[in-house]
Amino acid sequence: MTKTGTLFRLLAVAALLPLGACDLLIAFDGLVAGMQYDLSQGYDASNQDLALFTGELWHGGSYDFADLPRGIVDPEDQNFEWSEGHKARWTAEDGLRRMRATYESAGTPEVFESNAQVAEAYMYAGFANRFLGEMLCATAIDGGGEEDHTVHFTRADSNFTRAIEVGGRANAQSIVTAAYGGRATIKVWLGDWAGAVSDAQQVGLNDSRILPYTNEVANDISYETSIPA
């Protein structure tokens, strides 16, 4: 092959790279939406049962909740909640790994550090880990050995910090605010009250972040405790 032919082929490949990278970056909308969906599913999978066996709700219907309303939780009662909670965590954390790898392969690793989608993904990873830390007594992460539930608070603290950093560079203020709120709760769990106060001061009294439910993921507590008009 001549040098001219080699150069032509290299230029052709180089011309295709930006298009492929752009297509992948657009696909991140769906990836981040999946993180949101799985987090909603994780909350919905557990909240009703948690409310039942802590006595916040009392079972008065025809469903068989076994001994959950009496505060007795058997191993088989935890499988679905465990899997859905960890799926939300893994989807966000692995999604972030894929996003970073894509930006790096596109030759733009700096964009990863200033992208609103990345900040949002870190935020979902933070809330997923917080949820697991609050729900579990012990955990195992991605096939590892048994660990104390507080490992999820440490991971959440790191994820929220990254959401604040990346979101700040991306001017994604709503994400930054939500991450400050999430990190404030984590610092309470970790006993860092000064840090919790400092983070909470970054959140306005009227600030809120809504995690939507969909037709695919219903809010079971609302459905089971509301009387239709």
Side-chain angles (χ1 to χ4, degrees), residues 21 24-25 28 94-109 112 118:
L24 286 171
L25 300 184
F28 287 162
D94 188 68
L96 281 161
R97 287 190 286 270
R98 294 166 63 187
M99 294 166 82
R100 180 189 290 276
T102 300
Y103 279 113
E104 290 177 348
S105 66
T108 57
F112 179 85
V118 172

Side-chain angles (χ1 to χ4, degrees), residues 70-148:
R70 297 170 55 202
I72 300 173
V73 185
D74 295 320
E76 60 267 24
D77 297 324
Q78 306 171 51
N79 292 336
F80 184 64
E81 288 84 348
W82 173 283
S83 64
E84 292 303 307
H86 272 286
K87 182 169 73 173
R89 174 198 60 78
W90 184 88
T91 299
E93 292 181 346
D94 188 68
L96 281 161
R97 287 190 286 270
R98 294 166 63 187
M99 294 166 82
R100 180 189 290 276
T102 300
Y103 279 113
E104 290 177 348
S105 66
T108 57
E110 70 281 356
V111 178
F112 179 85
E113 295 294 333
S114 59
N115 184 278
Q117 290 175 316
V118 172
E120 187 173 5
Y122 273 119
M123 180 191 69
Y124 290 138
F127 280 116
N129 273 291
R130 187 189 74 171
F131 175 62
L132 287 168
E134 292 174 336
M135 183 180 71
L136 303 176
C137 296
T139 189
I141 298 174
D142 299 340
E146 182 176 324
E147 299 183 71
D148 190 78

